[in-house]
Amino acid sequence: MLNPMLASLLPLLLLCRTSFCQYSSDQCSWKGSGLTHEGHTRDVEQVYLRCSQGSLEWLYPTGAIIVNLRPNTISPAAARLSVCIKPSADSTGTNIYLDRNGKLRLLLREEDQAPGKVHCFSIQEGALFIEAIPHMDISRRITAFQYELVSNRLGAEAHALSAHCQPCSDAEVLLAVCTNDFVARGSIKKVDQQEDHSSVTVEIRRLYRQKTQVFVSGGVRVRNWSGQIKMPLQCGVKSGDGEFLFTGTVRFGEAWMGCAPRYKDFLRLYHEAQQQGTNPCYVDTE
């Protein structure tokens, strides 16, 4: 059952689809204050965020806001996107729902936001309906999160317990080299087990590509890099000898492992595909 305040907001939620809401301009990030709702705590404001990544910060939340996360282009591929949000460690003051055609489903309670874990859902599941929890003192309450739009495979599945634990097929390896956020040749130096993931410390001998600086150079005269790549804890990764080709995605500034074949195995399948003319892209293996 919806709490009384949320139930009272539903009529206004429906009116928001016409002309009774405040609208923000299209942008990547939004920052607002509940103080503008003073005396109008039942107002529902529409927020439109149309970038592949950004952030939201709602100071002193009162009433509710609807956050529409959409890509800035119209394409059939947009329907296959997932939305991932990562609340800040001190996010508080609201409950977060998914709103699909006026029907609400709870996504995150106030107490679920503090751990700062990533939560993903299909873009087709609707907008975010963020409802302020009534408090006598709202001065210390801020709801804040980062968001990213990703392909479905890199969304909910990327944070599932079994994600990326199975070896990639040859076709998946070749595609990953061409499309992933980072591609690097190197070795595993150490594996640390965290509460909900493994952190793999790697030394990179050759860096083909990185979307953001997740691997740090050893210096001007040293042609190697180092960094950490995360994996689900259930994958049971261990340190081992030999060289690997590390590929994967960068989510909220953190590298997550995708396909990671031994480098000699990658060379074999790459040269086979090269001879057959089926390589999706060129890789300098010299």
Side-chain angles (χ1 to χ4, degrees):
M1 294 201 39
L2 299 177
N3 66 48
M5 181 177 181
L6 185 55
S8 71
L9 284 168
L10 283 178
L12 283 173
L13 187 155
L14 298 176
L15 289 175
C16 265
R17 303 191 186 283
T18 55
S19 59
F20 290 83
C21 291
Q22 305 170 30
Y23 290 84
S24 62
S25 59
D26 295 349
Q27 51 194 336
C28 296
S29 299
W30 180 86
K31 184 174 183 178
S33 171
L35 296 180
T36 60
H37 283 179
E38 190 173 359
H40 306 280
T41 56
R42 295 179 61 196
D43 285 352
V44 181
E45 181 176 354
Q46 292 269 6
V47 175
Y48 293 88
L49 301 176
R50 298 188 180 274
C51 297
S52 60
Q53 60 185 28
S55 62
L56 177 141
E57 187 176 24
W58 192 15
L59 309 175
Y60 325 124
T62 60
I65 59 174
I66 297 177
V67 182
N68 301 273
L69 297 162
R70 292 291 183 270
N72 206 23
T73 58
I74 299 177
S75 167
R80 298 191 295 271
L81 291 174
S82 287
V83 179
C84 293
I85 64 172
K86 183 179 182 181
S88 65
D90 55 357
S91 183
T92 185
T94 63
N95 292 323
I96 301 177
Y97 299 80
L98 287 175
D99 165 27
R100 186 175 185 180
N101 299 324
K103 295 182 179 180
L104 303 181
R105 178 172 70 84
L106 182 63
L107 180 66
L108 284 172
R109 298 183 186 276
E110 179 183 30
E111 57 268 25
D112 298 331
Q113 299 174 40
K117 294 184 178 180
V118 175
H119 300 267
C120 300
F121 55 91
S122 170
I123 200 168
Q124 296 188 27
E125 293 185 66
L128 293 175
F129 184 93
I130 306 179
E131 173 214 12
I133 299 173
H135 289 284
M136 293 297 295
D137 180 13
I138 63 172
S139 62
R140 297 183 180 181
R141 304 188 188 279
I142 299 174
T143 293
F145 62 77
Q146 298 172 278
Y147 74 88
E148 291 187 358
L149 302 184
V150 299
S151 70
N152 277 340
R153 185 176 185 275
L154 301 178
E157 294 181 10
H159 298 279
L161 295 182
S162 60
H164 301 312
C165 292
Q166 298 299 322
C168 295
S169 67
D170 290 355
E172 287 175 328
V173 169
L174 292 173
L175 187 60
V177 171
C178 302
T179 62
N180 278 192
D181 293 339
F182 65 85
V183 181
R185 172 186 176 185
S187 56
I188 297 175
K189 293 302 179 184
K190 184 175 63 171
V191 178
D192 294 317
Q193 308 296 333
Q194 307 295 330
E195 181 181 355
D196 58 354
H197 68 272
S198 297
S199 182
V200 184
T201 300
V202 298
E203 183 174 281
I204 303 303
R205 176 180 173 184
R206 182 163 188 180
L207 185 58
Y208 294 95
R209 179 173 67 255
Q210 61 174 337
K211 179 181 178 181
T212 58
Q213 194 173 5
V214 292
F215 303 115
V216 181
S217 172
V220 177
R221 298 183 179 180
V222 181
R223 293 189 59 82
N224 61 16
W225 297 258
S226 62
Q228 294 183 331
I229 307 176
K230 294 187 175 183
M231 291 187 70
L233 190 62
Q234 287 70 19
C235 291
V237 62
K238 298 179 180 179
S239 300
D241 297 330
E243 280 196 312
F244 297 84
L245 187 73
F246 302 117
T247 70
T249 59
V250 177
R251 294 289 165 255
F252 303 105
E254 298 174 336
W256 283 83
M257 191 80 79
C259 300
R262 289 192 175 273
Y263 187 69
K264 63 179 182 180
D265 294 332
F266 164 71
L267 283 180
R268 174 188 54 77
L269 70 92
Y270 178 79
H271 290 313
E272 288 177 357
Q274 195 173 37
Q275 292 173 359
Q276 297 168 8
T278 57
N279 274 344
C281 67
Y282 172 76
V283 178
D284 184 2
T285 58
E286 298 299 328

